[in-house]
Amino acid sequence: MSTASLSDNAPVSLRKGSKIALYALTLGAFAIGMTEFIIMGLLPEVAASLNVSIPLAGMLITGYALGVAIGAPFITIATHKMQRKALLILLMLIFIAGNALAALSPNYSVLMIARIIAALTHGSFFGVGSVVAAQLVPKEKRAGAIAIMFTGLTLANILGVPIGTFLGQTYGWRSTFWAITIIGIIALIGVVILVPQVKVVQSSLRQELGVLRRPAVHIALLMTVFGFGGVFTAFTYIAPILVDISGFSPSSISYILVLFGIGITIGNIYGGKLADRKLMPSLIGILTLLAIVLAVFSLTDQNKILALITIFILGIAAFGIVPGLQLHMLNTAKEAPTLASTLNIAAFNLGNALGAYLGGVVIEQKFGGGLPAVPWVAALVTVVGILFTLWGRQQMKREPRV
């Protein structure tokens, strides 16, 4: 494929070369998603190998989340004048180095550092990748292009995590990080060869940061934090809910999560298509579905069959909002799309952290009944996201659209 520059506003058709370029971004997203979630399936192996407790090993998840939150704005600001393809290459190199270091880690401290190094690339890759993906296609197909890239994240849940967990349990957890490193190298080669150059809107750092003064951007970030935060309020504690309330065996949880992963893949694809047609109406509609499903889950989790059906629909609704939320941010902050898009990825992770914290408070304080109350509290968090989305729609009416 030619590496001729594509301007930010040029309506490029989704020709074969552009689609392959999107798949290169998708593979990078797959590798990064696998890195984020794989530690959950390998906690016992990591803890035993490094002689630390399970809770301390769990801090590797927290450390990664903090790395995403810190790295997203820092790297984006530091590289705001860098060509986007060059930035994607740099991010993949850092990601590969972080995972290779994880595989070689002699102790817990080094592994934590390695996780944070890999996490620094997460927000910027998805943020920059979203902008590049949107520029590869005509305006009316942008959410769909973003959805294709985010399919890598959903496939990481369906295929990457189960396979990586099996690999780590069979050959040792280090083998999983070596596998991720190899996938990262392949993704890097794909970015180098297939992703075209896209022009960066030349602006000063002051102009880039100036977008953060706009209320519409703040509202868009809050839409993401609370809209997606409801998902992780429940999903973080999905295993104890399914075991203690639904009556599933612990060994069946991984298979149920595959079902959830299939749901999020479907939701991601069709959520992108709906967002391309009617952005805000589709967001409000899917968020409403998400709130209803979470609330209903507080009842259906007492029956195995109904719980499985609910988990599947929950997956569809959960990722049905992701392309739309990302596209809304691109529309809202068109003068600084990379920074705003990257911050929105950080907002997703902040929503994850907020949701996990709220769910933990509900369980520990037995607020409203402890563990059984988690789904309906998650629904309330999503309702807050709906309110911010309605507010965001009003803001869009007052400001020019892309």
Side-chain angles (χ1 to χ4, degrees), residues 23-368:
Y23 291 154
L25 296 174
T26 301
L27 184 59
F30 176 88
I32 292 175
M34 191 172 173
T35 297
E36 178 180 16
F37 298 114
I38 193 59
I39 204 69
M40 300 176 187
L42 296 176
L43 279 182
E45 288 74 21
V46 172
S49 173
L50 300 179
N51 296 315
V52 298
S53 66
I54 292 290
L56 188 58
M59 291 298 292
L60 293 167
I61 300 172
T62 303
Y64 187 95
L66 291 175
V68 174
I70 295 171
F74 176 78
I75 290 181
T76 301
I77 291 172
T79 60
H80 76 285
K81 287 190 176 181
M82 196 172 180
Q83 286 292 330
R84 284 167 182 159
K85 178 175 179 176
L87 179 53
L88 286 172
I89 292 172
L90 175 62
L91 293 172
M92 288 309 303
L93 287 172
I94 296 173
F95 172 80
I96 291 167
N99 280 282
L101 180 60
L104 294 169
S105 298
N107 54 52
Y108 175 84
S109 297
V110 175
L111 180 57
M112 176 64 82
I113 293 171
R115 290 279 294 169
I116 293 174
I117 290 173
L120 291 174
T121 67
H122 183 121
S124 293
F125 183 88
F126 280 101
V128 176
S130 294
V131 174
V132 172
Q135 291 170 326
L136 290 173
V137 299
K139 180 179 178 180
E140 66 275 11
K141 294 182 179 291
R142 289 182 304 167
I146 293 171
I148 289 175
M149 189 194 72
F150 272 86
T151 299
L153 189 60
T154 65
L155 290 176
N157 282 275
I158 298 176
L159 300 175
V161 173
I163 293 174
T165 299
F166 172 80
L167 189 64
Q169 291 173 343
T170 305
Y171 300 103
W173 62 268
R174 297 177 192 277
S175 65
T176 301
F177 284 100
W178 280 125
I180 295 173
T181 301
I182 293 172
I183 296 172
I185 291 173
I186 296 172
L188 171 63
I189 294 171
V191 170
V192 171
I193 297 175
L194 301 172
V195 175
Q197 295 284 358
V198 291
K199 293 181 180 179
V200 178
V201 177
Q202 294 299 322
S203 61
S204 67
L205 182 58
R206 177 183 238 173
Q207 289 173 312
E208 288 278 322
L209 294 176
V211 73
L212 299 179
R213 293 196 295 267
R214 291 174 47 203
V217 173
H218 301 161
I219 296 171
L221 291 172
L222 290 170
M223 285 166 54
T224 298
V225 170
F226 288 95
F228 200 72
V231 175
F232 263 69
T233 302
F235 184 68
T236 302
Y237 305 97
I238 196 68
I241 289 174
L242 292 174
V243 172
D244 297 343
I245 298 177
S246 303
F248 288 98
S249 65
S251 61
S252 66
I253 299 303
S254 59
Y255 300 103
I256 297 174
L257 293 182
V258 171
L259 178 66
F260 178 80
I262 294 172
I264 66 177
T265 301
I266 294 172
N268 180 60
I269 294 172
Y270 285 95
K273 292 180 181 297
L274 290 172
D276 276 328
R277 294 178 183 175
K278 295 287 185 180
L279 177 56
M280 296 308 287
S282 70
L283 267 179
I284 294 169
I286 300 174
L287 279 168
T288 301
L289 172 63
L290 177 60
I292 292 173
V293 172
L294 286 168
V296 169
F297 190 39
S298 64
L299 301 175
T300 59
D301 62 4
Q302 300 169 42
N303 179 282
K304 288 185 177 181
I305 295 177
L306 294 178
L308 290 176
I309 294 173
T310 307
I311 287 292
F312 177 67
I313 299 174
L314 175 61
I316 294 175
F319 263 67
I321 62 175
V322 171
L325 288 171
Q326 196 69 359
L327 180 59
H328 174 65
M329 178 56 80
L330 290 176
N331 286 347
T332 302
K334 58 184 181 295
E335 66 273 32
T338 303
L339 176 60
S341 178
T342 301
L343 288 174
N344 205 44
I345 299 299
F348 276 112
N349 282 269
L350 182 58
N352 295 351
L354 173 65
Y357 173 76
L358 287 176
V361 170
V362 171
I363 294 171
E364 291 180 0
Q365 303 299 323
K366 298 190 181 301
F367 173 73

